[in-house]
PDB file of all heavy atoms in Angstrom:
ATOM      1  N   TRP B 503     -31.485   3.572 -29.126  1.00  0.00           N
ATOM      2  CA  TRP B 503     -30.906   2.271 -29.602  1.00  0.00           C
ATOM      3  C   TRP B 503     -30.342   2.437 -31.007  1.00  0.00           C
ATOM      4  O   TRP B 503     -30.756   3.324 -31.780  1.00  0.00           O
ATOM      5  CB  TRP B 503     -32.047   1.135 -29.680  1.00  0.00           C
ATOM      6  CG  TRP B 503     -32.485   0.737 -28.375  1.00  0.00           C
ATOM      7  CD1 TRP B 503     -32.607   1.369 -27.169  1.00  0.00           C
ATOM      8  CD2 TRP B 503     -33.061  -0.603 -28.128  1.00  0.00           C
ATOM      9  NE1 TRP B 503     -33.108   0.576 -26.180  1.00  0.00           N
ATOM     10  CE2 TRP B 503     -33.447  -0.641 -26.745  1.00  0.00           C
ATOM     11  CE3 TRP B 503     -33.388  -1.749 -28.887  1.00  0.00           C
ATOM     12  CZ2 TRP B 503     -34.053  -1.796 -26.132  1.00  0.00           C
ATOM     13  CZ3 TRP B 503     -33.895  -2.850 -28.325  1.00  0.00           C
ATOM     14  CH2 TRP B 503     -34.252  -2.855 -26.925  1.00  0.00           C
ATOM     15  N   TRP B 504     -29.319   1.633 -31.341  1.00  0.00           N
ATOM     16  CA  TRP B 504     -28.784   1.647 -32.705  1.00  0.00           C
ATOM     17  C   TRP B 504     -29.856   1.189 -33.698  1.00  0.00           C
ATOM     18  O   TRP B 504     -30.676   0.289 -33.278  1.00  0.00           O
ATOM     19  CB  TRP B 504     -27.572   0.700 -32.769  1.00  0.00           C
ATOM     20  CG  TRP B 504     -26.431   1.174 -31.889  1.00  0.00           C
ATOM     21  CD1 TRP B 504     -26.074   0.615 -30.700  1.00  0.00           C
ATOM     22  CD2 TRP B 504     -25.563   2.209 -32.227  1.00  0.00           C
ATOM     23  NE1 TRP B 504     -25.022   1.254 -30.204  1.00  0.00           N
ATOM     24  CE2 TRP B 504     -24.588   2.266 -31.048  1.00  0.00           C
ATOM     25  CE3 TRP B 504     -25.351   3.119 -33.182  1.00  0.00           C
ATOM     26  CZ2 TRP B 504     -23.604   3.112 -30.966  1.00  0.00           C
ATOM     27  CZ3 TRP B 504     -24.382   4.014 -33.055  1.00  0.00           C
ATOM     28  CH2 TRP B 504     -23.448   4.097 -32.016  1.00  0.00           C
ATOM     29  N   SER B 505     -29.769   1.569 -34.915  1.00  0.00           N
ATOM     30  CA  SER B 505     -30.821   1.124 -35.867  1.00  0.00           C
ATOM     31  C   SER B 505     -30.719  -0.378 -36.112  1.00  0.00           C
ATOM     32  O   SER B 505     -31.809  -1.142 -36.281  1.00  0.00           O
ATOM     33  CB  SER B 505     -30.745   1.819 -37.165  1.00  0.00           C
ATOM     34  OG  SER B 505     -29.403   1.748 -37.667  1.00  0.00           O
ATOM     35  N   PHE B 506     -29.498  -0.955 -36.037  1.00  0.00           N
ATOM     36  CA  PHE B 506     -29.471  -2.445 -36.218  1.00  0.00           C
ATOM     37  C   PHE B 506     -30.179  -3.143 -35.036  1.00  0.00           C
ATOM     38  O   PHE B 506     -30.788  -4.225 -35.208  1.00  0.00           O
ATOM     39  CB  PHE B 506     -28.074  -2.931 -36.453  1.00  0.00           C
ATOM     40  CG  PHE B 506     -27.040  -2.662 -35.366  1.00  0.00           C
ATOM     41  CD1 PHE B 506     -26.918  -3.415 -34.306  1.00  0.00           C
ATOM     42  CD2 PHE B 506     -26.203  -1.519 -35.473  1.00  0.00           C
ATOM     43  CE1 PHE B 506     -26.027  -3.203 -33.273  1.00  0.00           C
ATOM     44  CE2 PHE B 506     -25.339  -1.192 -34.458  1.00  0.00           C
ATOM     45  CZ  PHE B 506     -25.232  -2.052 -33.320  1.00  0.00           C
ATOM     46  N   GLU B 507     -30.045  -2.559 -33.811  1.00  0.00           N
ATOM     47  CA  GLU B 507     -30.666  -3.207 -32.670  1.00  0.00           C
ATOM     48  C   GLU B 507     -32.172  -3.180 -32.839  1.00  0.00           C
ATOM     49  O   GLU B 507     -32.903  -4.101 -32.536  1.00  0.00           O
ATOM     50  CB  GLU B 507     -30.329  -2.564 -31.347  1.00  0.00           C
ATOM     51  CG  GLU B 507     -28.885  -2.677 -30.966  1.00  0.00           C
ATOM     52  CD  GLU B 507     -28.499  -1.789 -29.743  1.00  0.00           C
ATOM     53  OE1 GLU B 507     -28.789  -0.607 -29.801  1.00  0.00           O
ATOM     54  OE2 GLU B 507     -27.923  -2.288 -28.869  1.00  0.00           O
ATOM     55  N   ARG B 508     -32.731  -2.042 -33.357  1.00  0.00           N
ATOM     56  CA  ARG B 508     -34.124  -1.916 -33.634  1.00  0.00           C
ATOM     57  C   ARG B 508     -34.586  -2.930 -34.679  1.00  0.00           C
ATOM     58  O   ARG B 508     -35.635  -3.491 -34.590  1.00  0.00           O
ATOM     59  CB  ARG B 508     -34.437  -0.405 -34.127  1.00  0.00           C
ATOM     60  CG  ARG B 508     -34.298   0.563 -33.160  1.00  0.00           C
ATOM     61  CD  ARG B 508     -34.412   1.906 -33.730  1.00  0.00           C
ATOM     62  NE  ARG B 508     -34.708   2.918 -32.637  1.00  0.00           N
ATOM     63  CZ  ARG B 508     -35.843   3.229 -32.133  1.00  0.00           C
ATOM     64  NH1 ARG B 508     -36.925   2.634 -32.592  1.00  0.00           N
ATOM     65  NH2 ARG B 508     -35.989   4.063 -31.163  1.00  0.00           N
ATOM     66  N   ARG B 509     -33.687  -3.114 -35.698  1.00  0.00           N
ATOM     67  CA  ARG B 509     -34.104  -4.116 -36.706  1.00  0.00           C
ATOM     68  C   ARG B 509     -34.165  -5.524 -36.092  1.00  0.00           C
ATOM     69  O   ARG B 509     -35.031  -6.261 -36.420  1.00  0.00           O
ATOM     70  CB  ARG B 509     -33.128  -4.013 -37.879  1.00  0.00           C
ATOM     71  CG  ARG B 509     -33.488  -3.056 -38.915  1.00  0.00           C
ATOM     72  CD  ARG B 509     -32.767  -3.371 -40.292  1.00  0.00           C
ATOM     73  NE  ARG B 509     -31.308  -3.452 -40.133  1.00  0.00           N
ATOM     74  CZ  ARG B 509     -30.460  -2.391 -40.103  1.00  0.00           C
ATOM     75  NH1 ARG B 509     -30.968  -1.161 -40.090  1.00  0.00           N
ATOM     76  NH2 ARG B 509     -29.191  -2.641 -39.915  1.00  0.00           N
ATOM     77  N   TRP B 510     -33.139  -5.756 -35.342  1.00  0.00           N
ATOM     78  CA  TRP B 510     -33.170  -7.173 -34.659  1.00  0.00           C
ATOM     79  C   TRP B 510     -34.420  -7.402 -33.823  1.00  0.00           C
ATOM     80  O   TRP B 510     -35.016  -8.365 -33.953  1.00  0.00           O
ATOM     81  CB  TRP B 510     -31.935  -7.286 -33.693  1.00  0.00           C
ATOM     82  CG  TRP B 510     -30.638  -7.361 -34.440  1.00  0.00           C
ATOM     83  CD1 TRP B 510     -30.412  -7.607 -35.710  1.00  0.00           C
ATOM     84  CD2 TRP B 510     -29.288  -7.229 -33.801  1.00  0.00           C
ATOM     85  NE1 TRP B 510     -29.010  -7.634 -35.956  1.00  0.00           N
ATOM     86  CE2 TRP B 510     -28.432  -7.412 -34.834  1.00  0.00           C
ATOM     87  CE3 TRP B 510     -28.957  -6.953 -32.450  1.00  0.00           C
ATOM     88  CZ2 TRP B 510     -27.036  -7.245 -34.513  1.00  0.00           C
ATOM     89  CZ3 TRP B 510     -27.537  -6.815 -32.234  1.00  0.00           C
ATOM     90  CH2 TRP B 510     -26.632  -7.028 -33.275  1.00  0.00           C
ATOM     91  N   LEU B 511     -34.831  -6.296 -33.126  1.00  0.00           N
ATOM     92  CA  LEU B 511     -36.012  -6.466 -32.266  1.00  0.00           C
ATOM     93  C   LEU B 511     -37.305  -6.561 -33.179  1.00  0.00           C
ATOM     94  O   LEU B 511     -38.172  -7.395 -32.898  1.00  0.00           O
ATOM     95  CB  LEU B 511     -36.175  -5.296 -31.330  1.00  0.00           C
ATOM     96  CG  LEU B 511     -37.421  -5.312 -30.446  1.00  0.00           C
ATOM     97  CD1 LEU B 511     -37.578  -6.614 -29.621  1.00  0.00           C
ATOM     98  CD2 LEU B 511     -37.465  -4.046 -29.491  1.00  0.00           C
ATOM     99  N   ALA B 512     -37.323  -5.748 -34.228  1.00  0.00           N
ATOM    100  CA  ALA B 512     -38.449  -5.896 -35.215  1.00  0.00           C
ATOM    101  C   ALA B 512     -38.591  -7.303 -35.693  1.00  0.00           C
ATOM    102  O   ALA B 512     -39.727  -7.858 -35.729  1.00  0.00           O
ATOM    103  CB  ALA B 512     -38.284  -4.867 -36.337  1.00  0.00           C
ATOM    104  N   VAL B 513     -37.475  -7.931 -35.994  1.00  0.00           N
ATOM    105  CA  VAL B 513     -37.561  -9.279 -36.522  1.00  0.00           C
ATOM    106  C   VAL B 513     -37.993 -10.229 -35.491  1.00  0.00           C
ATOM    107  O   VAL B 513     -38.842 -11.155 -35.746  1.00  0.00           O
ATOM    108  CB  VAL B 513     -36.137  -9.737 -37.151  1.00  0.00           C
ATOM    109  CG1 VAL B 513     -36.100 -11.212 -37.382  1.00  0.00           C
ATOM    110  CG2 VAL B 513     -35.748  -8.880 -38.291  1.00  0.00           C
ATOM    111  N   ILE B 514     -37.577 -10.055 -34.279  1.00  0.00           N
ATOM    112  CA  ILE B 514     -38.059 -10.951 -33.172  1.00  0.00           C
ATOM    113  C   ILE B 514     -39.561 -10.817 -33.009  1.00  0.00           C
ATOM    114  O   ILE B 514     -40.366 -11.737 -32.988  1.00  0.00           O
ATOM    115  CB  ILE B 514     -37.340 -10.581 -31.882  1.00  0.00           C
ATOM    116  CG1 ILE B 514     -35.781 -10.881 -31.930  1.00  0.00           C
ATOM    117  CG2 ILE B 514     -37.867 -11.236 -30.659  1.00  0.00           C
ATOM    118  CD1 ILE B 514     -34.971 -10.382 -30.786  1.00  0.00           C
ATOM    119  N   TRP B 515     -39.997  -9.547 -32.977  1.00  0.00           N
ATOM    120  CA  TRP B 515     -41.438  -9.264 -32.868  1.00  0.00           C
ATOM    121  C   TRP B 515     -42.217  -9.838 -33.987  1.00  0.00           C
ATOM    122  O   TRP B 515     -43.333 -10.385 -33.829  1.00  0.00           O
ATOM    123  CB  TRP B 515     -41.753  -7.828 -32.659  1.00  0.00           C
ATOM    124  CG  TRP B 515     -41.702  -7.410 -31.221  1.00  0.00           C
ATOM    125  CD1 TRP B 515     -41.761  -8.176 -30.108  1.00  0.00           C
ATOM    126  CD2 TRP B 515     -41.509  -6.063 -30.694  1.00  0.00           C
ATOM    127  NE1 TRP B 515     -41.732  -7.436 -28.974  1.00  0.00           N
ATOM    128  CE2 TRP B 515     -41.518  -6.142 -29.252  1.00  0.00           C
ATOM    129  CE3 TRP B 515     -41.278  -4.820 -31.300  1.00  0.00           C
ATOM    130  CZ2 TRP B 515     -41.373  -5.105 -28.427  1.00  0.00           C
ATOM    131  CZ3 TRP B 515     -41.140  -3.714 -30.414  1.00  0.00           C
ATOM    132  CH2 TRP B 515     -41.146  -3.814 -28.991  1.00  0.00           C
ATOM    133  N   GLN B 516     -41.732  -9.669 -35.247  1.00  0.00           N
ATOM    134  CA  GLN B 516     -42.467 -10.193 -36.388  1.00  0.00           C
ATOM    135  C   GLN B 516     -42.504 -11.738 -36.386  1.00  0.00           C
ATOM    136  O   GLN B 516     -43.441 -12.357 -36.832  1.00  0.00           O
ATOM    137  CB  GLN B 516     -41.783  -9.706 -37.684  1.00  0.00           C
ATOM    138  CG  GLN B 516     -42.133  -8.204 -37.903  1.00  0.00           C
ATOM    139  CD  GLN B 516     -41.130  -7.547 -38.970  1.00  0.00           C
ATOM    140  OE1 GLN B 516     -40.509  -8.340 -39.659  1.00  0.00           O
ATOM    141  NE2 GLN B 516     -41.155  -6.257 -38.872  1.00  0.00           N
ATOM    142  N   THR B 517     -41.455 -12.362 -35.722  1.00  0.00           N
ATOM    143  CA  THR B 517     -41.436 -13.860 -35.645  1.00  0.00           C
ATOM    144  C   THR B 517     -42.517 -14.291 -34.548  1.00  0.00           C
ATOM    145  O   THR B 517     -43.251 -15.208 -34.744  1.00  0.00           O
ATOM    146  CB  THR B 517     -40.104 -14.390 -35.286  1.00  0.00           C
ATOM    147  OG1 THR B 517     -39.121 -13.775 -36.142  1.00  0.00           O
ATOM    148  CG2 THR B 517     -40.017 -15.863 -35.343  1.00  0.00           C
ATOM    149  N   LEU B 518     -42.527 -13.564 -33.518  1.00  0.00           N
ATOM    150  CA  LEU B 518     -43.415 -13.926 -32.396  1.00  0.00           C
ATOM    151  C   LEU B 518     -44.882 -13.641 -32.719  1.00  0.00           C
ATOM    152  O   LEU B 518     -45.774 -14.400 -32.347  1.00  0.00           O
ATOM    153  CB  LEU B 518     -43.026 -13.199 -31.133  1.00  0.00           C
ATOM    154  CG  LEU B 518     -41.686 -13.609 -30.486  1.00  0.00           C
ATOM    155  CD1 LEU B 518     -41.332 -12.649 -29.301  1.00  0.00           C
ATOM    156  CD2 LEU B 518     -41.712 -15.013 -29.915  1.00  0.00           C
ATOM    157  N   LEU B 519     -45.145 -12.513 -33.466  1.00  0.00           N
ATOM    158  CA  LEU B 519     -46.424 -12.084 -33.778  1.00  0.00           C
ATOM    159  C   LEU B 519     -46.599 -11.907 -35.266  1.00  0.00           C
ATOM    160  O   LEU B 519     -46.589 -10.738 -35.771  1.00  0.00           O
ATOM    161  CB  LEU B 519     -46.730 -10.649 -33.079  1.00  0.00           C
ATOM    162  CG  LEU B 519     -46.259 -10.500 -31.641  1.00  0.00           C
ATOM    163  CD1 LEU B 519     -46.540  -9.094 -31.205  1.00  0.00           C
ATOM    164  CD2 LEU B 519     -46.994 -11.373 -30.655  1.00  0.00           C
ATOM    165  N   PRO B 520     -46.616 -12.957 -36.022  1.00  0.00           N
ATOM    166  CA  PRO B 520     -46.616 -12.840 -37.498  1.00  0.00           C
ATOM    167  C   PRO B 520     -48.017 -12.366 -38.084  1.00  0.00           C
ATOM    168  O   PRO B 520     -49.037 -12.500 -37.316  1.00  0.00           O
ATOM    169  CB  PRO B 520     -46.360 -14.270 -37.961  1.00  0.00           C
ATOM    170  CG  PRO B 520     -46.863 -15.167 -36.888  1.00  0.00           C
ATOM    171  CD  PRO B 520     -46.720 -14.401 -35.545  1.00  0.00           C
ATOM    172  N   SER B 521     -47.923 -11.794 -39.155  1.00  0.00           N
ATOM    173  CA  SER B 521     -49.154 -11.344 -39.800  1.00  0.00           C
ATOM    174  C   SER B 521     -49.820 -12.458 -40.640  1.00  0.00           C
ATOM    175  O   SER B 521     -49.154 -13.388 -41.054  1.00  0.00           O
ATOM    176  CB  SER B 521     -48.921 -10.170 -40.811  1.00  0.00           C
ATOM    177  OG  SER B 521     -48.119  -9.208 -40.043  1.00  0.00           O
ATOM    178  N   GLY B 522     -51.101 -12.309 -40.851  1.00  0.00           N
ATOM    179  CA  GLY B 522     -51.793 -13.127 -41.792  1.00  0.00           C
ATOM    180  C   GLY B 522     -51.896 -14.614 -41.412  1.00  0.00           C
ATOM    181  O   GLY B 522     -51.762 -15.450 -42.348  1.00  0.00           O
ATOM    182  N   THR B 523     -51.931 -14.994 -40.147  1.00  0.00           N
ATOM    183  CA  THR B 523     -51.854 -16.360 -39.805  1.00  0.00           C
ATOM    184  C   THR B 523     -53.179 -17.007 -40.155  1.00  0.00           C
ATOM    185  O   THR B 523     -54.213 -16.601 -39.715  1.00  0.00           O
ATOM    186  CB  THR B 523     -51.672 -16.511 -38.280  1.00  0.00           C
ATOM    187  OG1 THR B 523     -50.488 -15.832 -37.954  1.00  0.00           O
ATOM    188  CG2 THR B 523     -51.624 -18.008 -37.816  1.00  0.00           C
ATOM    189  N   PRO B 524     -53.173 -18.129 -40.955  1.00  0.00           N
ATOM    190  CA  PRO B 524     -54.475 -18.802 -41.155  1.00  0.00           C
ATOM    191  C   PRO B 524     -55.081 -19.340 -39.904  1.00  0.00           C
ATOM    192  O   PRO B 524     -54.464 -19.869 -39.103  1.00  0.00           O
ATOM    193  CB  PRO B 524     -54.083 -20.031 -42.061  1.00  0.00           C
ATOM    194  CG  PRO B 524     -52.655 -19.665 -42.653  1.00  0.00           C
ATOM    195  CD  PRO B 524     -52.029 -18.749 -41.660  1.00  0.00           C
ATOM    196  N   GLY B 525     -56.334 -19.009 -39.733  1.00  0.00           N
ATOM    197  CA  GLY B 525     -57.052 -19.426 -38.513  1.00  0.00           C
ATOM    198  C   GLY B 525     -56.669 -18.461 -37.337  1.00  0.00           C
ATOM    199  O   GLY B 525     -57.147 -18.665 -36.149  1.00  0.00           O
ATOM    200  N   GLY B 526     -55.798 -17.588 -37.551  1.00  0.00           N
ATOM    201  CA  GLY B 526     -55.373 -16.527 -36.483  1.00  0.00           C
ATOM    202  C   GLY B 526     -55.740 -15.194 -36.843  1.00  0.00           C
ATOM    203  O   GLY B 526     -56.666 -15.032 -37.575  1.00  0.00           O
ATOM    204  N   LEU B 527     -54.969 -14.222 -36.440  1.00  0.00           N
ATOM    205  CA  LEU B 527     -55.290 -12.842 -36.729  1.00  0.00           C
ATOM    206  C   LEU B 527     -54.656 -12.483 -38.089  1.00  0.00           C
ATOM    207  O   LEU B 527     -53.672 -13.016 -38.479  1.00  0.00           O
ATOM    208  CB  LEU B 527     -54.676 -11.880 -35.694  1.00  0.00           C
ATOM    209  CG  LEU B 527     -55.170 -12.035 -34.249  1.00  0.00           C
ATOM    210  CD1 LEU B 527     -54.726 -10.687 -33.453  1.00  0.00           C
ATOM    211  CD2 LEU B 527     -56.627 -12.168 -34.117  1.00  0.00           C
ATOM    212  N   ALA B 528     -55.338 -11.576 -38.757  1.00  0.00           N
ATOM    213  CA  ALA B 528     -54.841 -11.030 -40.019  1.00  0.00           C
ATOM    214  C   ALA B 528     -53.684 -10.089 -39.660  1.00  0.00           C
ATOM    215  O   ALA B 528     -52.624 -10.084 -40.312  1.00  0.00           O
ATOM    216  CB  ALA B 528     -55.854 -10.336 -40.838  1.00  0.00           C
ATOM    217  N   LEU B 529     -53.847  -9.317 -38.598  1.00  0.00           N
ATOM    218  CA  LEU B 529     -52.810  -8.309 -38.265  1.00  0.00           C
ATOM    219  C   LEU B 529     -51.630  -9.003 -37.565  1.00  0.00           C
ATOM    220  O   LEU B 529     -51.893 -10.082 -36.925  1.00  0.00           O
ATOM    221  CB  LEU B 529     -53.329  -7.263 -37.304  1.00  0.00           C
ATOM    222  CG  LEU B 529     -54.372  -6.314 -37.901  1.00  0.00           C
ATOM    223  CD1 LEU B 529     -55.045  -5.444 -36.814  1.00  0.00           C
ATOM    224  CD2 LEU B 529     -53.638  -5.367 -38.918  1.00  0.00           C
TER     225      LEU B 529
END
Side-chain angles (χ1 to χ4, degrees):
Chain B
W503 287 30
W504 298 103
S505 54
F506 58 85
E507 292 173 310
R508 290 173 164 276
R509 270 200 309 278
W510 289 346
L511 177 56
V513 170
I514 293 168
W515 272 339
Q516 285 162 19
T517 311
L518 293 171
L519 319 175
S521 308
T523 303
L527 297 197
L529 291 170

